[in-house]
Structure formats: structure tokens, C-alpha cells
Amino acid sequence: MSKRSTAVLRVRNLRSHYGDVEVLHGVDATFSGGKITVVAGRSGCGKTTLLRNILRLINPTSGTIELFGRDISELDEDELITLRPRIGVLFQNGALLQSLTVGANIAVPLEQHTRLPADVIERIVLRKLELVELVGVERLMPSELSGGMRKRAALARTLALDPEIAFFDEPSAGLDPVTAASLDQLIVGLNRKLGITVIVVTHELNSIRRIADRMLFLDDGEAVFEGTLEEAETCEIESVRQFFIQGSSSHSDVAESVQAPA
Ligand SMILES: Nc1ncnc2c1ncn2[C@@H]1O[C@H](COP(=O)(O)OP(=O)(O)OP(=O)(O)O)[C@@H](O)[C@H]1O
Ligand SMILES: [Mg+2]
């Protein structure tokens, strides 16, 4: 088999409504296997809605979504259940269950989707915590962790079932820049080491530059750009250009490097 990346996810002419309001106006997008694709665009442009459609949390008004070569609208209940463990999701504001320990939180998907005995689940939980560089916290309650640690623990839960594709909706929202950067590093590591196809929603330019292989840019419910990060940075489409200009000007490192004497 060639290592060439092929599309694992294809969205075609996707329209989506909330009530009478159309939020996605015929989105086309292709997500390459084994890559990190960032979905960016202004607040309210429909990024989370796109994810909700892909994850079948809401049904599109029209259009198709092909995941792993199958049109997901044609899958029956059993097929969906078998597909579920292949997909990891970290929702925007995706919180851990406050009443469970960190370890028990990570065990939830394993208990729901497998019949593994408790001691095996326990070992997997520890391995996933190790993977996100959180060791020795399995017996703590989520409230005893810092914000960055909670994000890592949520990431461990997303990875519990060894997904082939993972969706992270604004994973570094609310984190300080250093913690956000280390979370980005972790996401890149998961992709490079485990080969997981990653789709990250974020509007943080620093983060995009650290992690993105490819980018999908949404503007008011339309996919206006799709391509590599390099192509995005030199793209002439006005909304994409503005996004990079405004993101850069609010970033002091870039401003400093621009002002530095030659
Ligand atoms: N459950 C809902 N019911 C009605 N309208 C909604 C719902 N969720 C989102 N919307 C609207 O749909 C549009 C797209 O929202 P969405 O959450 O997809 O945007 P987003 O790009 O993820 O924004 P953000 O960057 O702020 O998370 C917005 O106008 C929003 O107000
Ligand atoms: Mg959102």
C-alpha cells in the first residue's frame, strides 16, 4: 500500500439549518488521511456546525458526507455503532464529568464500547494519561486539575479507543500561550507518532502555524479556501488574507521580528 494520503472524509455541497436559518450554504471539503487540517474562520461562520453534521449530531438539509469511503447517511444503527470507536471527538468546552475521577472519565468510552475487563481498562487509562503527559492524576477529581491538565485529560479520553480520526474543537481556548503551545505540540505528536488524522477547529494563528498541514477556511457558511498552510498564507481571497493580517498584527513576536533591525 502506498503511504500517499487519500481523503478519509469528504463533504459535498453540505447545507445545514437551525430552524429556518441556513448556516452552511453548500460546503465542499476534503480531508486528507494522516494530516492535520485546521478549520478556521470567524466566530459564527459555522465551524462547529460543520463538525456536528460530520458527527451526525445534526442531520444536513442536503449534501453528502463520506467518511472512510462510506456515505454516513446510508449507515444503519449497527454500522454507526461500529464506526463510533474509530472517531475521537473533543468538543468545544468539552468538559470532563465532574463527579468522576480523571481515570474514570477516560474509562467511560472503554466501558461503553468494549467488554474489556476492569484491569485491562485500568491499564489502558494509565497508558492514555502517559500519552498526554499526565502521570499520577488518575485518582484526582477534574476540579483538582489546572485548565491545561483538564484539556490533556479530555484529550486522553478522546484517544481512549485509539481513533483513526480525531476532531478537536478549539482545544486551546482559554489556555495561556505556553500551555496552548504545549497542547499543540502534543496534537502534532499524536498525528506524527500514531498517524491519527486530525481535524482541529481553531482561530488562533499561532496555533495554526504550529500544527496545520492543511487548512479549510469558512466564511459565513461557505468554504472559501482549501489547501496547504503555505497556500493559505499567500492566498488572495480577501477573508483569508484579512484573517492572516489581523492574526499577525495581534501577535507581538511577529511584530517584534518585523521591527528588528536587519
Ligand atoms: N443550536 C443552535 N441553534 C440555533 N442557532 C445556532 C445553534 N448553534 C449555532 N447556531 C448559529 O449558527 C451559526 C454558526 O454557529 P457555529 O457554532 O457553527 O459557529 P462557529 O464557527 O463554531 O463559531 P465559534 O468560533 O464562535 O465557535 C451562528 O450564527 C450561531 O448563532
Ligand atoms: Mg464553534
Side-chain angles (χ1 to χ4, degrees), residues 49-261:
T49 304
L50 175 63
L51 289 199
R52 286 194 194 124
N53 275 280
I54 293 169
L55 299 165
R56 287 205 51 168
L57 298 172
I58 52 178
N59 289 320
T61 317
S62 62
T64 55
I65 298 163
E66 228 177 69
L67 184 59
F68 305 129
R70 302 283 309 273
D71 180 341
I72 58 166
S73 68
E74 288 172 358
L75 301 180
D76 63 28
E77 219 30 58
D78 285 344
E79 288 172 312
L80 274 178
I81 289 169
T82 41
L83 194 63
R84 213 48 235 157
R86 300 174 69 187
I87 307 166
V89 188
L90 180 60
F91 287 109
Q92 190 168 15
N93 316 316
L96 299 166
L97 299 166
Q98 295 301 312
S99 58
L100 297 182
T101 64
V102 171
N105 263 284
I106 299 163
V108 167
L110 293 157
E111 284 158 359
Q112 278 177 353
H113 291 278
T114 73
R115 295 198 180 139
L116 294 169
D119 61 322
V120 175
I121 289 185
E122 204 171 312
R123 257 183 286 139
I124 296 174
V125 166
L126 295 182
R127 218 160 359 104
K128 298 302 169 192
L129 281 170
E130 223 173 283
L131 192 64
V132 300
E133 294 156 22
L134 273 185
V135 174
V137 302
E138 61 277 7
R139 289 184 211 292
L140 297 182
M141 301 307 284
S143 59
E144 295 175 273
L145 303 184
S146 72
M149 290 164 88
R150 255 179 257 149
K151 278 281 155 86
R152 278 170 191 269
L155 202 58
R157 185 180 55 186
T158 303
L159 301 172
L161 294 164
D162 297 325
E164 291 163 54
I165 187 166
F167 296 88
F168 304 133
D169 195 350
E170 307 265 8
S172 48
L175 299 181
D176 67 82
V178 174
T179 310
S182 84
L183 193 72
D184 285 341
Q185 225 169 31
L186 195 64
I187 290 171
V188 172
L190 295 173
N191 168 259
R192 306 291 190 257
K193 279 187 238 151
L194 306 179
I196 302 175
T197 301
V198 177
I199 294 164
V200 186
V201 173
T202 178
H203 53 252
E204 294 288 331
L205 193 49
N206 297 326
S207 194
I208 291 170
R209 289 190 168 130
R210 280 191 293 259
I211 66 176
D213 295 314
R214 298 184 58 80
M215 206 170 158
L216 170 69
F217 196 92
L218 295 187
D219 183 15
D220 197 14
E222 291 184 22
V224 293
F225 170 83
E226 198 177 13
T228 63
L229 177 62
E230 292 72 28
E231 287 163 350
E233 298 243 30
T234 53
C235 172
E236 307 249 309
I237 295 165
E238 192 51 27
S239 52
V240 181
R241 246 171 43 82
Q242 284 302 326
F243 177 81
F244 280 101
I245 291 170
Q246 280 164 17
S248 295
S249 63
S250 65
H251 176 19
S252 59
D253 289 352
V254 173
E256 275 161 29
S257 68
V258 167
Q259 284 159 10

